[in-house]
Short mmCIF file of all heavy atoms in Angstrom, two decimals:
data_model
loop_
_atom_site.label_atom_id
_atom_site.label_comp_id
_atom_site.label_asym_id
_atom_site.label_seq_id
_atom_site.Cartn_x
_atom_site.Cartn_y
_atom_site.Cartn_z
N GLY A 401 -25.53 391.61 -109.88
CA GLY A 401 -26.18 390.37 -110.53
C GLY A 401 -26.08 389.17 -109.67
O GLY A 401 -25.32 389.12 -108.67
N TYR A 402 -26.77 388.12 -110.08
CA TYR A 402 -26.93 386.91 -109.33
C TYR A 402 -25.66 386.00 -109.62
O TYR A 402 -25.19 385.85 -110.77
CB TYR A 402 -28.09 386.07 -109.61
CG TYR A 402 -29.42 386.79 -109.20
CD1 TYR A 402 -30.65 386.23 -109.48
CD2 TYR A 402 -29.37 387.86 -108.38
CE1 TYR A 402 -31.79 386.76 -109.07
CE2 TYR A 402 -30.65 388.53 -107.91
CZ TYR A 402 -31.79 387.93 -108.34
OH TYR A 402 -32.91 388.44 -107.88
N ASP A 403 -25.12 385.33 -108.54
CA ASP A 403 -24.09 384.40 -108.68
C ASP A 403 -24.67 382.97 -108.65
O ASP A 403 -24.89 382.35 -107.70
CB ASP A 403 -23.05 384.52 -107.65
CG ASP A 403 -21.98 383.59 -107.65
OD1 ASP A 403 -21.95 382.69 -108.71
OD2 ASP A 403 -21.03 383.53 -106.84
N TYR A 404 -24.97 382.44 -109.87
CA TYR A 404 -25.62 381.22 -110.02
C TYR A 404 -24.81 380.02 -109.54
O TYR A 404 -25.30 378.92 -109.33
CB TYR A 404 -26.16 380.94 -111.41
CG TYR A 404 -27.45 381.75 -111.81
CD1 TYR A 404 -27.28 382.99 -112.26
CD2 TYR A 404 -28.75 381.07 -111.62
CE1 TYR A 404 -28.41 383.74 -112.68
CE2 TYR A 404 -29.84 381.96 -111.92
CZ TYR A 404 -29.68 383.16 -112.39
OH TYR A 404 -30.74 384.00 -112.76
N SER A 405 -23.46 380.33 -109.32
CA SER A 405 -22.59 379.17 -108.92
C SER A 405 -22.84 378.72 -107.51
O SER A 405 -22.30 377.81 -106.99
CB SER A 405 -21.14 379.51 -109.17
OG SER A 405 -20.80 380.49 -108.17
N LEU A 406 -23.65 379.55 -106.78
CA LEU A 406 -24.05 379.21 -105.42
C LEU A 406 -25.00 378.06 -105.47
O LEU A 406 -25.36 377.55 -104.27
CB LEU A 406 -24.67 380.39 -104.74
CG LEU A 406 -23.69 381.57 -104.32
CD1 LEU A 406 -24.39 382.73 -103.89
CD2 LEU A 406 -22.76 381.01 -103.14
N ILE A 407 -25.54 377.76 -106.42
CA ILE A 407 -26.60 376.68 -106.48
C ILE A 407 -26.18 375.60 -107.55
O ILE A 407 -25.48 375.98 -108.55
CB ILE A 407 -28.02 377.19 -106.75
CG1 ILE A 407 -28.05 378.03 -108.05
CG2 ILE A 407 -28.57 378.02 -105.64
CD1 ILE A 407 -29.55 378.27 -108.55
N PRO A 408 -26.72 374.42 -107.43
CA PRO A 408 -26.25 373.37 -108.36
C PRO A 408 -27.23 373.48 -109.71
O PRO A 408 -28.27 372.68 -109.71
CB PRO A 408 -26.63 371.98 -107.65
CG PRO A 408 -27.56 372.33 -106.55
CD PRO A 408 -27.35 373.73 -106.29
N VAL A 409 -26.72 374.27 -110.49
CA VAL A 409 -27.71 374.62 -111.70
C VAL A 409 -27.97 373.39 -112.46
O VAL A 409 -29.12 373.28 -112.86
CB VAL A 409 -26.93 375.69 -112.51
CG1 VAL A 409 -27.67 375.93 -113.89
CG2 VAL A 409 -26.81 377.00 -111.81
N GLU A 410 -27.03 372.46 -112.65
CA GLU A 410 -27.38 371.27 -113.45
C GLU A 410 -28.47 370.42 -112.81
O GLU A 410 -29.26 369.87 -113.57
CB GLU A 410 -26.10 370.40 -113.58
CG GLU A 410 -25.04 371.01 -114.65
CD GLU A 410 -25.57 371.14 -116.01
OE1 GLU A 410 -26.54 370.29 -116.42
OE2 GLU A 410 -25.13 372.05 -116.80
N ARG A 411 -28.36 370.39 -111.57
CA ARG A 411 -29.52 369.66 -110.80
C ARG A 411 -30.93 370.23 -111.07
O ARG A 411 -31.88 369.54 -111.38
CB ARG A 411 -29.11 369.68 -109.26
CG ARG A 411 -30.13 369.04 -108.48
CD ARG A 411 -29.76 367.70 -107.83
NE ARG A 411 -30.80 367.07 -106.99
CZ ARG A 411 -31.63 366.25 -107.39
NH1 ARG A 411 -31.61 365.58 -108.55
NH2 ARG A 411 -32.58 365.67 -106.55
N TYR A 412 -30.99 371.48 -111.06
CA TYR A 412 -32.24 372.13 -111.47
C TYR A 412 -32.67 371.85 -112.74
O TYR A 412 -33.81 371.55 -113.16
CB TYR A 412 -32.18 373.69 -111.21
CG TYR A 412 -32.22 374.03 -109.70
CD1 TYR A 412 -30.98 374.28 -109.09
CD2 TYR A 412 -33.36 374.17 -109.06
CE1 TYR A 412 -30.91 374.64 -107.75
CE2 TYR A 412 -33.29 374.48 -107.49
CZ TYR A 412 -32.11 374.75 -107.05
OH TYR A 412 -32.14 374.96 -105.67
N PHE A 413 -31.62 371.99 -113.73
CA PHE A 413 -31.97 371.56 -115.25
C PHE A 413 -32.60 370.19 -115.25
O PHE A 413 -33.57 369.97 -116.03
CB PHE A 413 -30.71 371.59 -116.04
CG PHE A 413 -30.21 372.99 -116.27
CD1 PHE A 413 -28.83 373.17 -116.89
CD2 PHE A 413 -30.90 374.18 -115.97
CE1 PHE A 413 -28.39 374.45 -117.06
CE2 PHE A 413 -30.53 375.45 -116.33
CZ PHE A 413 -29.17 375.68 -116.88
N HIS A 414 -31.88 369.31 -114.54
CA HIS A 414 -32.31 367.82 -114.70
C HIS A 414 -33.87 367.75 -114.02
O HIS A 414 -34.65 367.08 -114.72
CB HIS A 414 -31.37 367.06 -113.74
CG HIS A 414 -31.73 365.65 -113.62
ND1 HIS A 414 -31.78 364.77 -114.65
CD2 HIS A 414 -32.33 365.01 -112.60
CE1 HIS A 414 -32.13 363.57 -114.24
NE2 HIS A 414 -32.56 363.65 -112.89
N LEU A 415 -34.04 368.44 -112.87
CA LEU A 415 -35.37 368.26 -112.37
C LEU A 415 -36.48 368.98 -113.15
O LEU A 415 -37.57 368.49 -113.25
CB LEU A 415 -35.35 368.80 -110.94
CG LEU A 415 -34.64 368.04 -109.92
CD1 LEU A 415 -34.43 368.80 -108.63
CD2 LEU A 415 -35.37 366.74 -109.54
N LYS A 416 -36.07 370.12 -113.86
CA LYS A 416 -37.05 370.77 -114.65
C LYS A 416 -37.30 369.98 -115.98
O LYS A 416 -38.27 370.27 -116.75
CB LYS A 416 -36.52 372.15 -114.96
CG LYS A 416 -36.62 373.12 -113.93
CD LYS A 416 -35.76 374.41 -114.26
CE LYS A 416 -35.93 375.59 -113.42
NZ LYS A 416 -36.76 376.64 -113.99
N GLY A 417 -36.33 369.14 -116.32
CA GLY A 417 -36.40 368.48 -117.65
C GLY A 417 -36.06 369.41 -118.75
O GLY A 417 -36.33 369.02 -120.00
N MET A 418 -35.43 370.53 -118.60
CA MET A 418 -34.90 371.40 -119.60
C MET A 418 -33.77 372.31 -119.08
O MET A 418 -33.82 372.52 -117.81
CB MET A 418 -36.11 372.16 -120.18
CG MET A 418 -36.70 373.23 -119.30
SD MET A 418 -38.24 373.78 -120.04
CE MET A 418 -37.86 374.66 -121.42
N ARG A 419 -33.02 372.81 -119.92
CA ARG A 419 -31.87 373.60 -119.47
C ARG A 419 -32.46 374.96 -119.37
O ARG A 419 -32.06 375.89 -120.16
CB ARG A 419 -30.75 373.46 -120.44
CG ARG A 419 -30.14 372.15 -120.59
CD ARG A 419 -28.75 372.12 -121.40
NE ARG A 419 -27.82 372.66 -120.68
CZ ARG A 419 -27.03 372.06 -119.75
NH1 ARG A 419 -27.51 370.85 -119.34
NH2 ARG A 419 -26.04 372.68 -119.14
N GLN A 420 -33.23 375.23 -118.40
CA GLN A 420 -33.97 376.57 -118.17
C GLN A 420 -33.50 377.31 -116.92
O GLN A 420 -33.48 376.74 -115.85
CB GLN A 420 -35.49 376.24 -118.01
CG GLN A 420 -36.25 377.50 -117.86
CD GLN A 420 -37.72 377.21 -117.46
OE1 GLN A 420 -37.92 376.62 -116.52
NE2 GLN A 420 -38.68 377.52 -118.45
N ILE A 421 -32.98 378.48 -117.23
CA ILE A 421 -32.55 379.30 -116.12
C ILE A 421 -33.71 380.16 -115.55
O ILE A 421 -34.49 380.72 -116.29
CB ILE A 421 -31.43 380.36 -116.60
CG1 ILE A 421 -30.11 379.62 -116.80
CG2 ILE A 421 -31.20 381.53 -115.74
CD1 ILE A 421 -29.20 379.63 -115.62
N ASP A 422 -33.83 380.32 -114.27
CA ASP A 422 -34.94 381.18 -113.69
C ASP A 422 -34.15 382.50 -113.54
O ASP A 422 -33.03 382.61 -113.07
CB ASP A 422 -35.44 380.67 -112.41
CG ASP A 422 -36.22 379.50 -112.58
OD1 ASP A 422 -37.28 379.51 -113.27
OD2 ASP A 422 -35.96 378.40 -112.01
N PHE A 423 -34.92 383.49 -113.83
CA PHE A 423 -34.30 384.88 -113.77
C PHE A 423 -35.37 385.85 -113.32
O PHE A 423 -36.47 385.73 -113.45
CB PHE A 423 -33.87 385.37 -115.21
CG PHE A 423 -32.87 386.47 -115.20
CD1 PHE A 423 -31.51 386.32 -115.12
CD2 PHE A 423 -33.35 387.80 -115.28
CE1 PHE A 423 -30.71 387.44 -115.14
CE2 PHE A 423 -32.49 388.91 -115.11
CZ PHE A 423 -31.17 388.60 -115.18
#
Side-chain angles (χ1 to χ4, degrees):
Y402 292 176
D403 178 0
Y404 285 87
S405 74
L406 286 168
I407 56 171
V409 172
E410 286 296 332
R411 172 109 179 100
Y412 288 96
F413 286 168
H414 173 72
L415 289 166
K416 281 164 170 262
M418 67 194 294
R419 301 188 72 77
Q420 181 189 63
I421 285 270
D422 290 303
F423 195 90

